Structure formats: structure tokens, C-alpha cells
Amino acid sequence: MSTPVWSFTLPSKVTFGAGAAAKAAETAACYGERPIVVTDRTLAALPHIRRFLEQFAVSPVFSGVEPNPTVANVDALAAMIRMYGADVVVAIGGGSAIDCAKAAACLTCTGEPSVRLFHSEGGKFGADRLPVVALPTTAGTGAEV
């Protein structure tokens, strides 16, 4: 029995190295003018993350992401994105923050109030979504890709 050969391609750009996070606002500005920052409460309280957030001083911060984000987390973030008219989503954290940001970036463009239609009722996202800039703080989840 032979193993099938397959290819997997994503249009993701990954930038890494010392100082990359300090350019997050500059990177986000390439994709939009009104960023929203997504993280969790624990990270948002850390001094080095608070210093990082200073580059987004006028941007709203959503820190309500729970481990293994819920439908309610995604819905709340999408509502905040819509309320502020954000046009780019910046996620800092592990897979939970990044996955919540990606789901909300898709949901925001559908006009639907909840991700539940897509999460558990078989709905399909269209091609429209907000750009996401992800800054992973963990190794191994791959959510940033």
C-alpha cells in the first residue's frame, strides 16, 4: 500500500526574529487603518504585553478569550469588531486567542450575529474576511498559519 502524495498551500506570510513583535502595528497598518487587538486576560495583565500594547494605544483590546474559545467568545469579539469598525485583527497569544480572532474575522464579514451557524449548523463561510496579524506566544499550535 503506497502513501498518497499531497500538497498543502496557504497564503500565509510568517515573519520571525528578535524585534518582530515591535513592528506589529506597522505590519497591521499594511492591512488596515483601524486595528483591534485580541488576547486573553492573563496575557493582557503581563508587563511586557502591556508594553507591546502601547503601540496600539488608540485601538480597542478584546481580552475575553477563554482557553478553547467558545461560541460566545467569537460572537463577542465579532460584535466588538463591528462596533468599532475595525478593519484588521491583531491576535497575540496562543492558539485560543489566534483561533478566536480568525473565526471572528470571518464571522464579521457575513452579517450573521453568531458563529453558531458555521460552528455547529453546517453553514459555510464565504471568501470575505478581515485580515489577521497573529503573534503567537506559544510554540507548536500552528494557529498562526
Side-chain angles (χ1 to χ4, degrees), residues 71-72 74-76 78-79 82 107-108 110-118:
V71 166
V74 175
D75 293 351
R82 290 173 177 142
L107 176 61
T108 300
T110 67
E112 291 290 331
S114 178
V115 75
R116 185 163 307 283
L117 170 69
F118 308 98

Side-chain angles (χ1 to χ4, degrees), residues 72-83:
N73 292 159
V74 175
D75 293 351
L77 174 54
M80 192 171 174
I81 291 169
R82 290 173 177 142
M83 182 173 69

Side-chain angles (χ1 to χ4, degrees), residues 4-142:
V5 176
W6 55 278
S7 297
F8 183 70
T9 305
L10 289 174
S12 298
K13 176 182 177 182
V14 178
T15 303
F16 59 95
K23 296 183 180 197
E26 182 180 320
T27 300
C30 294
Y31 299 99
E33 298 175 359
R34 295 175 310 282
I36 186 169
V37 180
V38 180
T39 191
D40 62 54
R41 285 179 186 85
T42 301
L43 282 179
L46 295 175
H48 64 286
I49 299 298
R50 295 189 67 70
R51 283 191 300 278
F52 164 82
L53 292 173
E54 289 173 2
Q55 65 184 298
F56 295 97
V58 298
S59 300
V61 176
F62 179 85
S63 60
V65 178
E66 300 171 43
N68 300 312
T70 64
V71 166
N73 292 159
V74 175
D75 293 351
L77 174 54
M80 192 171 174
I81 291 169
R82 290 173 177 142
M83 182 173 69
Y84 285 101
D87 59 1
V88 60
V89 182
V90 178
I92 181 164
S96 293
I98 295 170
D99 286 345
C100 186
K102 292 187 300 186
C106 291
L107 176 61
T108 300
C109 296
T110 67
E112 291 290 331
S114 178
V115 75
R116 185 163 307 283
L117 170 69
F118 308 98
H119 175 268
S120 53
E121 296 178 14
K124 304 275 188 239
F125 283 121
D128 294 338
R129 61 193 38 87
L130 296 179
V132 176
V133 175
L135 293 97
T137 58
T138 57
T141 68

